[in-house]
Amino acid sequence: MSEMRHYLTVFGYYAKLAIQRQLEYPLFLVSWLIMIPTQYFAGIWMLRIIVDRFQPLEGWTFDDLAFLYGLGLLSHGLVVVFFIPTWGTETAVIRGEFDRLLLRPMNVFFQFVTGYFNFIGLIDLIPGIVIFLYAAHAVDFSWEASNIVKLALVVIGGLFIRGSLYTIVGAVAFWTKRSRNLIGMSIATLERTTMYPLTLYPYAVQALLTFLFPIGFISFYPAESFLGKPASLELPFDMAVWTLAAGIVCMIVAYTVFRLGLRKYESAGS
């Protein structure tokens, strides 16, 4: 218990310092506040155009798609806040930044992930919250206690799934010294695959995004459950529980891969 309190205290100091650094550049904060919401509101507008010009996608109306999209953006916003250091694993490896982390008497993965609390990343949550609240109203989402708990489980599980994927992909740099392009591809893949119903893809892709890379659990399967649609995947217990379980398993795998990669770390040299 005391060790956990110590880690939480350290995280608090890291977060405080990171926030102070980021607030030193207010114009950057303003530009981020303009760019990020514009990007994601443009995405929802694109969905509106697709549905209006053509037809509902696999039976998903615009309001359904907005609910799916907003639900996915909630975990995306949080992963940008808490796991953005994993996007720069390549740079940390090449610059030898793990040297000082290895010298400290604390878990290296904890230090690496919490070393930069991306306060500005909270802006990524704004479009997600706005879009989700709009869609929740449009589809008559019931804000009863059980649904709120399920929603929390889905967002936390989605955060873990996203964070674990970025951790694994970033850890490739321990072996190859390169992972930036893979991170970019992963970000694009997550944006696209959480934006549309999984049933739009061939069965092989659906299986891949369910069992190997459980991206479907981030928003698609929970959205099906919340919206009362026929389940594409029959499982015991509620889908929110499976999303959290998938996230925890993914984080365990990601942590293991990170630790294995750390053994291959060669420092920066002289």
Side-chain angles (χ1 to χ4, degrees):
M1 190 66 181
S2 60
E3 184 177 1
M4 182 180 296
R5 189 181 303 112
H6 174 62
Y7 273 82
L8 289 174
T9 301
V10 172
F11 170 71
Y13 281 118
Y14 277 155
K16 180 181 179 180
L17 290 173
I19 291 172
Q20 289 175 341
R21 289 200 304 269
Q22 292 166 56
L23 291 180
E24 288 180 358
Y25 303 97
L27 289 180
F28 179 75
L29 179 63
V30 172
S31 65
W32 206 253
L33 187 59
I34 295 173
M35 290 188 300
I36 294 302
T38 300
Q39 175 185 347
Y40 292 108
F41 288 139
I44 197 67
W45 183 251
M46 183 182 299
L47 285 176
R48 166 65 80 178
I49 293 174
I50 291 174
V51 173
D52 287 348
R53 294 290 179 87
F54 299 97
Q55 57 185 354
L57 304 180
E58 289 289 319
W60 289 66
T61 65
F62 171 73
D63 291 337
D64 295 337
L65 292 171
F67 186 89
L68 172 68
Y69 187 45
L71 183 60
L73 286 180
L74 294 178
S75 58
H76 165 77
L78 290 177
V79 85
V80 171
V81 174
F82 293 105
F83 282 92
I84 204 168
T86 60
W87 296 8
T89 307
E90 172 188 316
T91 301
V93 169
I94 293 175
R95 294 181 177 177
E97 294 178 7
F98 284 98
D99 290 1
R100 55 188 172 83
L101 303 184
L102 287 165
L103 292 173
R104 296 171 181 169
M106 292 192 74
N107 183 277
V108 176
F109 181 68
F110 170 82
Q111 293 183 71
F112 178 59
V113 172
T114 63
Y116 186 77
F117 177 78
N118 188 24
F119 171 73
I120 294 178
L122 289 172
I123 294 174
D124 284 63
L125 273 174
I126 295 175
I129 292 173
V130 172
I131 293 171
F132 182 77
L133 290 178
Y134 159 79
H137 174 73
V139 301
D140 293 324
F141 177 75
S142 176
W143 290 97
E144 58 188 29
S146 60
N147 275 348
I148 293 175
V149 171
K150 291 177 185 177
L151 179 61
L153 294 180
V154 169
V155 174
I156 294 172
L159 166 65
F160 288 167
I161 294 172
R162 289 178 184 273
S164 62
L165 179 60
Y166 293 142
T167 299
I168 292 171
V169 173
V172 170
F174 287 119
W175 287 274
T176 66
K177 305 298 185 293
R178 294 289 182 270
S179 64
R180 187 185 303 276
N181 291 337
L182 289 175
I183 286 291
M185 184 177 69
S186 299
I187 294 172
T189 299
L190 280 169
E191 286 185 359
R192 298 295 180 271
T193 52
T194 56
M195 188 175 184
Y196 302 105
L198 209 60
T199 48
L200 286 177
Y201 302 101
Y203 181 77
V205 176
Q206 294 181 43
L208 181 70
L209 299 180
T210 298
F211 301 108
L212 185 57
F213 305 106
I215 296 174
F217 288 95
I218 294 176
S219 57
F220 173 68
Y221 292 124
E224 275 191 332
S225 177
F226 283 130
L227 296 173
K229 293 183 175 294
S232 302
L233 184 65
E234 294 287 350
L235 291 172
F237 308 114
D238 193 272
M239 196 54 67
V241 176
W242 285 105
T243 297
L244 180 61
I248 293 173
V249 170
C250 285
M251 282 306 304
I252 293 173
V253 172
Y255 179 72
T256 302
V257 172
F258 182 88
R259 293 288 296 175
L260 291 173
L262 198 59
R263 295 178 183 177
K264 299 296 182 180
Y265 176 65
E266 298 175 344
S267 187
S270 56

